[in-house]
Amino acid sequence: MKVLKFGGTSVGSVENMTNVKNIINDGNKKIVVLSAMSGTTNSLVDIANNIKVSNTDKALQDINALHEKYILVIDALLSDATLNGLTKTYVAERFNFLIECTYKSFSQLIENEILAQGELMSTFMFNSFLQQEGINSCLLSALDFMKIDAHKEPSFNYIQNNLQTVLSEADTAEIYITQGFICLDDTGEVSNLQRGGSDYTATIIGAAIKAEEVQIWTDIDGMHNNDPRFVEGTKPISDLSFDEAAELAYFGAKILHPQTILPVRKDGIPVRLKNTMDPIAKGTSITGNHVETGIKAIAAKDNITAIKIKSGRMLQAHGFLKKVFEIFETYETSIDMITTSEVAVSLTIDDDRNLEQIVSELEKFSNIEIDTNQSIICLVGHAIVDHEGTHKLFKILKDVNIRMISYGGSRNNISLLVDTENKIKTLQKLNGYLFELVTL
Ligand code: ASP
């Protein structure tokens, strides 16, 4: 069985939902994971924030505006009076729940419950649409099987067993529809897999049922070799290995949630990135194989803080790095890039919530310099040094001030750290050097 995930734009209009229906209605049994309609989760985040700061009037105004938008979509999507009525009733219940939240005292749980409403509504609406079109579909609640543990990792055995049960209870259905993103936490309360987490839902389900393939459908024709928001003429990459895709997703390729590849990698379940607006385009195929050597793609990750730790005590001493790492471990802050010299270590973090405490611990035995507003530019490929343009990489130093360079952590990645204000220029220059093979 295959697992197909469709993002917010795919369920964002009647036209797109019709495209999705045509894609999935091929006579094969499958699980379809859906995001919330595009823009909904952002609106729900705003609603939650307004409730949090007791801006009740604004929250209520936004809830009503969103409700009206849903009524319009339902009317355009469902001409069948019974299904139209049923769906409007369900959606009204969800909006009533949001209204009730404005009177409750705010908590993390309330916020999670608010954010869950988008996927609950999109799946209900889409399932009604499939019923109207005479398709044998069945709506599964992700809250009946999707669960994370106290470390926010998927509870794999629980998911596998519970999913098996819900699937067998509905085994006559041809198409199972379920929500991405939402789950229960270790205490059984509503939680989620973080923003963009529907991709992750799809691969967790894929691993749980040992799927033949997981397909992630978006509105772009696969993973591109550079960021199309900043660079012109980017091209889709046809094949990536799990390692390459994981690096790109982590280091900024917005098309995939960073953890998407993890669940399927062990069993070698292929992941295909496809375009709902152009279903016959090949997209990107992510497998355990390395196809082609050299640099395949460039991605950038913002909001990076660089920390330079300088100490005379590092000279020919052992145990220095251990001491440094232990501080980051204590404050549960993960390190992305690291470079060392005999007298200094530079490293980067993307979560600066505990920066102050980390710095005061480090200052007990070293001098610290902090640079904020940095971006990691990540070059990804296989046997990356073999790329015909790789030697030109250092030409970038002539044009941009590179704060750190890291290579060798794997054969798949070279990372450069630059000031964020230089990011776009760096991405464009690298594109020219590496993919257009600009002669200098
Ligand atoms: N709806 C959630 C979000 O916008 C999850 C997702 O779409 O993947 O982040």
Side-chain angles (χ1 to χ4, degrees):
M1 191 155 58
K2 289 186 185 171
V3 180
L4 280 70
K5 178 257 165 176
F6 293 87
T9 21
S10 304
V11 288
S13 68
V14 176
E15 193 193 340
N16 293 355
M17 284 196 243
T18 309
N19 281 344
V20 174
K21 182 207 81 181
N22 294 337
I23 292 165
I24 63 178
N25 191 22
D26 62 1
N28 295 317
K29 216 172 163 80
K30 56 178 67 68
I31 300 181
V32 173
V33 175
L34 299 182
S35 292
M37 267 171 61
S38 51
T40 296
T41 311
N42 287 344
S43 302
L44 294 171
V45 168
D46 289 344
I47 290 166
N49 287 339
N50 279 314
I51 296 176
K52 190 175 180 178
V53 297
S54 304
N55 207 346
T56 312
D57 288 348
K58 176 75 174 101
L60 286 170
Q61 196 183 320
D62 290 352
I63 293 169
N64 290 332
L66 196 61
H67 193 174
E68 276 165 29
K69 193 173 133 191
Y70 271 75
I71 291 176
L72 292 180
V73 176
I74 294 169
D75 280 338
L77 188 69
L78 300 168
S79 52
D80 179 296
T82 313
L83 287 166
N84 181 302
L86 261 172
T87 310
K88 275 188 188 150
T89 307
Y90 179 79
V91 164
E93 279 165 16
R94 304 329 313 150
F95 281 100
N96 284 340
F97 172 78
L98 290 175
I99 292 169
E100 279 165 28
C101 289
T102 64
Y103 308 119
K104 294 183 186 162
S105 67
F106 194 80
S107 64
Q108 183 59 56
L109 173 59
I110 297 271
E111 179 172 2
N112 291 347
E113 288 181 331
I114 292 173
L115 297 196
Q117 303 309 313
E119 272 70 12
L120 290 172
M121 292 193 288
S122 66
T123 47
F124 195 97
M125 283 163 54
F126 188 69
N127 189 50
S128 297
F129 176 54
L130 294 185
Q131 310 272 294
Q132 172 181 281
E133 303 301 301
I135 294 170
N136 178 11
S137 66
C138 170
L139 183 58
L140 306 180
S141 171
L143 300 180
D144 288 340
F145 59 86
M146 193 55 76
K147 192 169 183 171
I148 49 173
D149 63 20
H151 305 286
K152 301 198 181 331
E153 297 293 335
S155 304
F156 200 70
N157 290 339
Y158 176 98
I159 295 169
Q160 203 164 34
N161 293 336
N162 284 270
L163 183 56
Q164 207 68 57
T165 309
V166 293
L167 287 174
S168 59
E169 280 167 5
D171 72 337
T172 52
E174 193 160 285
I175 296 180
Y176 301 101
I177 308 290
T178 194
Q179 302 84 24
F181 179 59
I182 65 173
C183 60
L184 295 181
D185 68 11
D186 58 319
T187 64
E189 300 288 8
V190 174
S191 186
N192 61 61
L193 300 174
Q194 308 296 318
R195 293 303 307 272
S198 300
D199 297 344
Y200 195 26
T201 302
T203 51
I204 294 169
I205 292 179
I209 63 161
K210 304 256 179 286
E212 182 192 326
E213 179 173 278
V214 176
Q215 297 179 356
I216 311 276
W217 289 78
T218 62
D219 52 2
I220 180 167
D221 47 355
M223 197 155 318
H224 275 222
N225 63 355
N226 206 326
D227 194 326
R229 289 170 303 172
F230 309 122
V231 179
E232 277 177 27
T234 62
K235 296 185 186 68
I237 312 164
S238 61
D239 294 279
L240 283 171
S241 67
F242 289 128
D243 288 340
E244 291 161 348
E247 300 257 20
L248 280 171
Y250 184 72
F251 284 109
K254 289 279 171 291
I255 185 173
L256 267 193
H257 179 276
Q259 278 151 303
T260 309
I261 299 302
L262 278 178
V264 285
R265 171 193 215 133
K266 185 168 66 63
D267 294 316
I269 298 167
V271 176
R272 211 113 72 83
L273 310 183
K274 299 276 292 173
N275 186 355
T276 314
M277 316 304 155
D278 186 8
I280 46 175
K282 181 175 183 294
T284 300
S285 181
I286 304 170
T287 63
N289 306 327
H290 286 289
V291 180
E292 295 169 32
T293 52
I295 296 170
K296 288 187 188 163
I298 307 171
K301 186 175 180 185
D302 296 334
N303 299 321
I304 302 292
T305 300
I307 307 173
K308 184 187 237 176
I309 307 159
K310 216 170 163 190
S311 171
R313 285 203 240 156
M314 255 184 97
L315 266 176
Q316 294 187 336
H318 51 79
F320 185 82
L321 283 178
K322 177 170 181 270
K323 238 165 123 177
V324 170
F325 288 151
E326 273 170 357
I327 293 169
F328 285 86
E329 201 197 328
T330 306
Y331 291 99
E332 293 180 354
T333 301
S334 77
I335 297 170
D336 282 333
M337 260 177 98
I338 174 155
T339 56
T340 66
S341 80
E342 193 48 38
V343 290
V345 186
S346 278
L347 48 82
T348 68
I349 57 173
D350 67 353
D351 171 4
D352 61 4
R353 279 174 297 179
N354 294 319
L355 184 62
E356 227 175 274
Q357 294 96 311
I358 291 172
V359 169
S360 82
E361 297 272 349
L362 291 169
E363 275 176 342
K364 291 181 186 158
F365 57 91
S366 52
N367 294 322
I368 304 299
E369 278 171 36
I370 305 286
D371 286 317
T372 52
N373 296 325
Q374 304 287 300
S375 294
I376 294 178
I377 310 264
C378 176
L379 310 170
V380 169
H382 175 58
I384 207 160
V385 279
D386 299 339
H387 191 282
E388 55 184 314
T390 302
H391 68 282
K392 291 188 183 160
L393 192 62
F394 282 88
K395 298 216 173 174
I396 197 80
L397 297 173
K398 190 172 76 154
D399 304 310
V400 194
N401 184 15
I402 306 282
R403 166 81 171 69
M404 283 167 72
I405 298 184
S406 159
Y407 168 70
S410 76
R411 275 165 66 76
N412 300 110
N413 166 317
I414 297 177
S415 297
L416 312 174
L417 188 72
V418 298
D419 269 347
T420 301
E421 62 180 25
N422 288 328
K423 176 185 81 172
I424 297 179
K425 178 166 124 187
T426 314
L427 288 174
Q428 290 169 346
K429 292 264 177 201
L430 287 170
N431 209 63
Y433 297 155
L434 299 170
F435 300 137
E436 290 155 21
L437 299 179
V438 169
T439 34
L440 299 157

